[in-house]
């Protein structure tokens, strides 16, 4: 009996090691790693010469098929996971939203229905809580037991998603006991609303006012408040989509004090800036998401944060809306532009290119940021996030030299523009496997719609 698949001649990269080795896969799992494995009876052999073999990417922040801003995000679980696969991402954690008056169970069931039978690769859920009474506090425990072990709370979007500090504190107290992890959207929504109303009254309605009405101080203040509430409750906190140095400083200080505080940033904050909002006509709407783009100097601070472990994860906050018909809903008023940008496909290449190819950090740190730490923080490790015997064979054969210019003309996301149009990256996935099955080979999709499975996650453990 031979192996189902062997990947030969590659350089295996994990968060800690880089070494030449073959990998043997059977029944969707990594069965052996070594240089003298018998190749004779392998059903399939993939030659990875001159390339890296990486653990599949894990994107812990996506919004597929999400009703928001009077419309629905343009990628569903089929098109979204497919586009992710083309970029080397093989596991997503998406957000199941509890709308006001609903149970958390309704949110979970609704998003399970959206994903099952559609996703081409594995997925899990965080639960967004917008209404937290005694019943939902109980339900948090039940969800944790069922593998939904993290909860997103909002300090922004008053009247839509925002929770008050008392509810946030209660949620932290619950996770301190049940092993969950709170993911925080940290912006001071009430202060921002005052600034927004003033801008509208002054007739400032163009897309760039979305960014100009959301100061970095609003993000830093909320980050600091979230950390304080978590500390009082004795709970960990994970700050999502961090965009600026002011907020990063709050996380760095908290981590220096030894608190279990973590943060992610996203490629848009590393590559784009406020200048993009000056695109001609209504084009600035392509970059309307929250937190907004910042002055360019923040980018290097964030890259440095990734290098120094002040930031632990890169996710995408993929929340795509087409420019035509969706972003255009806010043609006359920036507050009506659906908030979100597309990015699920290019995270791995953008971070490899800007991080490793540009000499900012090592290939091992890259793997840590895009796969291993996301897996560890969100209870997927060691099933996902590494290359080890017994782990799922979610593997990416990655060509560190291949160049690619990102464009709407070639991307696979179901959206009519690219935020990264014209940016040339160095480093692209050639072959992508999910639980041992080839998902992508060069330009070809070889996966199966519905092959993705829901992954029950373990509770949080300190990293
Ligand atoms: O603008 C954004 N980020 N849209 C998605 C929702 C969120 O806040 O993450
Ligand atoms: Zn958010
Ligand atoms: Zn988001």
């Amino acid at each position: 009996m031979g192996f189902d698949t062997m990947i030969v001649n590659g350089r295996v990269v994990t968060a800690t090691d880089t070494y030449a080795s073959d990998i043997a896969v059977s029944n969707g799992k990594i069965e052996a790693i070594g240089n003298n494995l018998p190749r004779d009876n392998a059903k399939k052999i993939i030659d990875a010469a001159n390339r890296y073999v990486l653990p599949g990417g894990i994107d812990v922040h996506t919004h597929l098929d999400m009703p928001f801003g009077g419309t629905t995000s343009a990628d569903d679980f089929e098109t979204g996971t497919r586009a992710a696969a083309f970029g080397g991402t093989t596991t997503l954690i998406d957000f199941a939203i509890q709308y006001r008056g609903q149970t958390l169970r309704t949110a979970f069931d609704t998003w399970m229905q959206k994903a099952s039978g559609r996703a081409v690769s594995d997925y899990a859920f965080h639960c967004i809580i917008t209404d937290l009474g005694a019943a939902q506090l109980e339900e948090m425990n039940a969800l944790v037991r069922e593998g939904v072990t993290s909860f997103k709370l909002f300090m922004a979007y008053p009247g839509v998603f925002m929770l008050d500090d008392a509810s946030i504190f209660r949620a932290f107290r619950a996770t301190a006991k049940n092993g969950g992890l709170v993911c925080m959207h940290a912006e001071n929504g009430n202060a921002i609303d005052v600034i927004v109303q003033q801008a509208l009254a002054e007739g400032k309605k163009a897309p760039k006012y979305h960014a100009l009405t959301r100061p970095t101080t609003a993000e830093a203040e909320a980050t600091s408040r979230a950390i304080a509430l978590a500390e009082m409750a004795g709970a960990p906190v994970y700050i999502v989509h961090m965009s600026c140095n002011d907020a990063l400083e709050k996380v760095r200080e908290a981590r220096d004090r030894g608190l279990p505080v973590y943060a992610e940033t996203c490629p848009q904050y590393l590559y784009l800036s406020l200048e993009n909002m000056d695109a001609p006509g209504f084009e600035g709407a392509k970059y309307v998401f929250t937190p907004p783009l910042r002055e360019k100097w923040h980018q290097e601070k964030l890259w440095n944060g990734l290098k120094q472990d002040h930031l632990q994860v890169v996710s995408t906050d993929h929340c795509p809306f087409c420019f035509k018909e969706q972003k255009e809903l806010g043609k006359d008023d920036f507050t009506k532009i659906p908030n979100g940008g597309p990015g699920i496909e290019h995270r791995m290449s953008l971070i490899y290119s800007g991080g490793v190819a540009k000499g900012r950090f090592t290939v091992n740190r890259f793997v840590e940021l895009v796969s291993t730490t996301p897996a560890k923080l969100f209870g997927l490790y060691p099933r996902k996030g590494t290359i080890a015997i017994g782990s799922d064979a979610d593997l990416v054969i990655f060509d560190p030299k291949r160049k690619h210019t990102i464009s709407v003309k070639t991307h696979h996301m179901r959206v009519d523009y690219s935020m990264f149009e014209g940016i040339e990256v160095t480093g692209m996935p050639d072959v992508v496997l999910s639980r041992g099955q080839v998902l992508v080979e060069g330009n070809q999709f070889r996966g199966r719609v519905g092959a993705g499975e829901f992954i029950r996650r373990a509770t949080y453990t300190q990293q």
Side-chain angles (χ1 to χ4, degrees):
M1 278 288 285
F3 302 114
D4 289 347
T5 301
M6 287 193 71
I7 299 169
V8 299
N9 305 323
R11 281 188 80 69
V12 174
V13 185
T14 68
T16 48
D17 299 301
T18 308
Y19 56 97
S21 182
D22 297 345
I23 296 177
V25 172
S26 285
N27 302 315
K29 303 271 184 201
I30 296 171
E31 193 167 311
I33 302 171
N35 282 317
N36 298 308
L37 305 174
R39 297 183 183 183
D40 304 352
N41 296 321
K43 291 188 196 124
K44 183 177 175 77
I45 292 191
I46 301 173
D47 188 358
N50 303 317
R51 285 164 295 169
Y52 288 134
V53 186
L54 313 174
I58 300 175
D59 189 345
V60 300
H61 190 150
T62 66
H63 301 277
L64 301 176
D65 201 357
M66 174 196 180
F68 193 37
T71 183
T72 299
S73 60
D75 273 314
D76 60 19
F77 278 83
E78 178 183 332
T79 63
T81 53
R82 191 167 164 274
F86 273 102
T89 291
T90 51
T91 306
L92 304 179
I93 310 184
D94 204 88
F95 294 87
I97 306 177
Q98 174 229 20
Y99 296 101
R100 292 199 168 155
Q102 281 185 346
T103 60
L104 303 189
R105 162 85 29 215
T106 304
F108 181 31
D109 289 349
T110 306
W111 259 262
M112 282 293 273
Q113 271 192 0
K114 287 173 188 270
S116 62
R118 282 182 182 271
V120 307
S121 61
D122 293 346
Y123 54 90
F125 295 110
H126 317 276
C127 183
I128 288 177
I129 304 177
T130 65
D131 184 1
L132 188 63
Q136 286 88 3
L137 274 168
E138 268 307 310
E139 277 196 288
M140 285 176 78
N141 302 331
L143 281 197
V144 167
R145 286 194 294 273
E146 288 179 58
V148 178
T149 54
S150 44
F151 302 90
K152 185 177 179 189
L153 311 181
F154 285 81
M155 301 171 109
Y157 299 118
V160 185
F161 290 139
M162 193 171 103
L163 280 186
D164 58 29
D165 285 357
S167 301
I168 290 171
F169 186 54
R170 282 190 194 102
F172 275 128
R173 296 229 289 203
T175 55
K177 285 207 186 109
N178 66 25
L181 177 60
V182 168
C183 304
M184 189 64 80
H185 179 129
E187 284 185 297
N188 186 322
N190 285 328
I192 286 169
D193 236 29
V194 172
I195 306 171
V196 166
Q197 293 315 318
Q198 183 184 341
L200 292 178
E202 290 170 0
K204 296 172 175 164
K205 297 189 174 172
K208 79 169 173 195
Y209 290 105
H210 170 78
L212 297 178
T213 53
R214 307 184 86 90
T216 55
T217 315
E219 188 177 343
E221 182 280 327
T223 301
S224 172
R225 186 159 34 104
I227 292 168
L229 292 167
E231 185 177 8
M232 282 190 280
V237 61
Y238 177 90
I239 310 290
V240 295
H241 47 42
M242 182 160 286
S243 72
C244 63
N245 188 54
D246 318 38
L248 178 59
E249 281 296 301
K250 305 295 180 193
V251 168
R252 189 182 59 73
E253 282 163 20
R255 290 178 61 79
D256 283 352
R257 288 201 289 124
L259 293 176
V261 173
Y262 312 92
E264 64 175 25
T265 189
C266 312
Q268 51 271 36
Y269 303 118
L270 296 162
Y271 277 86
L272 309 176
S273 74
L274 212 43
E275 290 165 25
N276 292 84
M277 307 295 296
D278 289 325
F282 184 60
E283 302 250 326
K286 293 176 176 173
Y287 311 99
V288 167
F289 38 76
T290 52
L293 291 175
R294 306 301 191 182
E295 289 174 10
K296 216 173 170 53
W297 63 268
H298 290 274
Q299 293 173 0
E300 205 50 51
K301 298 285 184 187
L302 295 174
W303 280 114
N304 190 52
L306 293 172
K307 177 180 174 175
Q308 306 281 352
D309 201 36
H310 307 320
L311 290 161
Q312 292 70 44
V313 172
V314 180
S315 69
T316 60
D317 193 12
H318 178 74
C319 188
F321 297 105
C322 287
F323 184 65
K324 288 254 160 266
E325 290 179 14
Q326 294 193 294
K327 290 286 185 182
E328 280 178 352
L329 291 168
K331 226 168 166 10
D332 303 317
D333 176 350
F334 72 88
T335 64
K336 301 209 163 52
I337 299 169
N339 284 199
I344 207 167
E345 186 165 347
H346 299 111
R347 180 183 65 124
M348 302 273 280
S349 289
L350 284 164
I351 301 308
Y352 182 85
S353 193
V356 187
K358 286 239 163 80
R360 288 184 171 107
F361 45 73
T362 65
V363 68
N364 308 95
R365 178 63 182 158
F366 162 70
V367 167
E368 198 166 32
L369 289 165
V370 300
S371 180
T372 310
T373 302
K376 286 183 174 175
L377 276 175
F378 289 100
L380 295 164
Y381 191 86
R383 176 168 177 189
K384 312 245 183 224
T386 195
I387 295 178
I389 292 172
S391 294
D392 280 359
D394 293 359
L395 297 166
V396 179
I397 296 169
F398 190 86
D399 183 345
K401 297 231 154 63
R402 197 170 124 210
K403 291 187 188 300
H404 174 72
T405 301
I406 296 175
S407 175
V408 62
K409 295 194 192 105
T410 47
H411 77 201
H412 301 85
M413 299 177 286
R414 193 163 63 185
V415 62
D416 61 358
Y417 74 96
S418 171
M419 289 197 287
F420 304 106
E421 186 72 37
I423 291 179
E424 188 191 66
V425 289
T426 303
M428 283 288 284
D430 280 351
V431 184
V432 179
L433 295 94
S434 165
R435 281 185 279 106
Q437 298 298 311
V438 173
L439 274 186
V440 168
E441 224 171 346
N443 294 327
Q444 298 301 313
F445 180 68
R446 306 243 183 259
R448 183 172 60 78
V449 174
E453 287 177 4
F454 170 69
I455 308 289
R456 290 169 73 109
R457 293 181 290 119
T459 49
Y460 159 82
T461 47
Q462 184 155 357
Q463 300 301 320

